[in-house]
């Protein structure tokens, strides 16, 4: 078993329960950790034998572009796509952080973290 991480994916998106959030948008950071059997790719040196982190990044960016009220829903959509499209995936964790959320205080970020296993 091995782990691949894609950290600090920066995205500008329009998630949130407030109408203002749908209009002005916010900055987000997404971190991804996936577990899969990487023994074959470690031997073959072939992209087809591993989890392509370019594909992970692509899925994150596509799903972040779809507006949601809750970060939980966005994170779940990302996980669901990972497991639909990446057959060798065993476990994945997705962290979605809203940078400087509009919650009436000096808050750096709010983060939702979800994990899914096959």
């Amino acid at each position: 078993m091995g782990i691949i991480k894609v950290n600090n994916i920066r995205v500008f998106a329009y998630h949130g329960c407030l109408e203002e959030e749908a209009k002005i948008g916010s900055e987000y950071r997404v971190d991804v950790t996936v577990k899969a059997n990487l023994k074959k790719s470690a031997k073959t040196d072939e992209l087809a034998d591993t989890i392509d982190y370019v594909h992970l990044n692509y899925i994150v960016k596509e799903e972040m572009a779809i507006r949601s009220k809750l970060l939980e829903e966005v994170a779940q959509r990302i996980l669901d796509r990972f497991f639909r499209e990446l057959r060798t995936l065993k476990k994945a964790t997705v962290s979605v952080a809203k940078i400087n959320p509009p919650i009436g205080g000096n808050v750096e970020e709010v983060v939702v973290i979800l994990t899914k296993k096959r």
Side-chain angles (χ1 to χ4, degrees):
M1 192 66 63
I3 296 171
I4 295 173
K5 291 184 175 188
V6 183
N7 293 327
N8 205 19
I9 303 169
R10 295 290 184 149
V11 181
F12 193 87
Y14 298 87
H15 307 301
C17 294
L18 303 174
E19 277 193 44
E20 295 80 22
E21 293 173 297
K23 294 175 185 172
I24 62 171
S26 296
E27 289 189 38
Y28 294 83
R29 187 192 74 244
V30 180
D31 298 314
V32 172
T33 302
V34 297
K35 291 186 179 182
N37 186 340
L38 303 178
K39 288 181 183 179
K40 184 176 181 181
S41 61
K43 289 180 181 180
T44 66
D45 197 28
E46 294 294 329
L47 183 59
D49 295 331
T50 191
I51 303 290
D52 184 355
Y53 51 80
V54 172
H55 193 172
L56 295 172
N57 185 57
Y58 177 78
I59 290 170
V60 167
K61 288 188 173 187
E62 274 203 344
E63 292 303 321
M64 288 296 291
I66 301 168
R67 177 167 160 64
S68 295
K69 289 186 242 174
L70 300 178
L71 298 181
E72 292 90 326
E73 204 263 345
V74 179
Q76 188 63 56
R77 279 200 329 265
I78 292 168
L79 284 171
D80 291 345
R81 281 228 14 226
F82 284 175
F83 281 89
R84 239 185 355 262
E85 297 180 22
L86 306 164
R87 300 291 178 207
T88 59
L89 192 63
K90 302 294 182 200
K91 182 179 178 183
T93 299
V94 173
S95 167
V96 180
K98 181 181 248 183
I99 311 300
N100 297 317
I103 59 175
N106 187 10
V107 177
E108 183 178 340
E109 64 184 13
V110 293
V111 183
V112 169
I113 302 169
L114 295 181
T115 299
K116 183 175 180 176
K117 294 180 185 180
R118 190 177 305 278

